[in-house]
């Protein structure tokens, strides 16, 4: 079973940057697609970004295009989310998820494993 642990969240001013990490334990993590999702109070869980196991393809939700970048280091069993030009509307709990067939879906119901989430708060 794969376990995912997010880190790197915190409080940042609008316009600032954070890098989130998703560290995995499990022997087959390198072949999984990984997605990032976020959920703010009163809102549905929202797709942020996803990446295939090779790192050769990734894509983003419309609200974060041009500001966020997803990457992975399979040797470290870690996926990153670099967040730049942060806005107060980016405030949410950010969770990473793994899909064991390597398909980078943009809907949360398709993912097999989830981390506990890390809080990102952007002040204005």
């Amino acid at each position: 079973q794969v376990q995912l642990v997010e880190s790197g969240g915190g409080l940042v001013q609008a316009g600032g940057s954070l890098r989130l990490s998703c560290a995995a334990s499990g022997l087959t993590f390198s072949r999984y697609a990984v997605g990032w999702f976020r959920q703010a109070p009163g809102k549905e869980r929202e797709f942020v970004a996803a990446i295939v196991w090779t790192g050769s393809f990734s894509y983003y939700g419309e609200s974060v295009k041009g500001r966020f970048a997803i990457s992975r280091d399979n040797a470290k069993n870690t996926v990153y989310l670099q967040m730049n030009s942060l806005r107060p509307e980016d405030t949410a709990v950010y969770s990473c998820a793994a899909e064991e067939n390597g398909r980078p879906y943009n809907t949360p119901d398709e993912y097999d494993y989830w981390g506990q989430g890390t809080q990102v708060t952007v002040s204005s």
Side-chain angles (χ1 to χ4, degrees):
Q1 184 173 348
V2 174
Q3 291 183 300
L4 307 175
V5 179
E6 302 93 337
S7 62
L11 176 65
V12 64
Q13 282 191 285
S17 298
L18 285 174
R19 189 181 74 161
L20 305 184
S21 297
C22 173
S25 61
L27 297 178
T28 61
F29 180 73
S30 64
R31 296 294 183 95
Y32 287 34
V34 174
W36 284 96
F37 295 82
R38 66 187 185 185
Q39 189 165 28
K43 297 183 68 177
E44 296 291 322
R45 184 169 289 177
E46 179 187 20
F47 172 73
V48 176
I51 191 167
V52 300
W53 73 271
T54 61
S56 61
F57 173 79
S58 59
Y59 71 112
Y60 301 87
E62 290 80 3
S63 64
V64 306
K65 284 181 180 177
R67 299 189 297 122
F68 291 10
I70 188 171
S71 62
R72 68 191 299 168
D73 185 340
N74 289 334
K76 297 180 179 180
N77 277 352
T78 301
V79 172
Y80 305 98
L81 183 70
Q82 178 67 45
M83 305 186 295
N84 300 319
S85 301
L86 284 162
R87 307 165 181 167
E89 64 203 70
D90 295 318
T91 295
V93 174
Y94 285 71
S95 300
C96 64
E99 201 285 323
E100 66 180 357
N101 296 125
R103 303 183 189 276
Y105 297 105
N106 61 6
T107 53
D109 289 348
E110 302 292 347
Y111 284 82
D112 300 296
Y113 304 99
W114 288 83
Q116 84 289 349
T118 186
Q119 176 71 45
V120 172
T121 302
V122 184
S123 62
S124 59

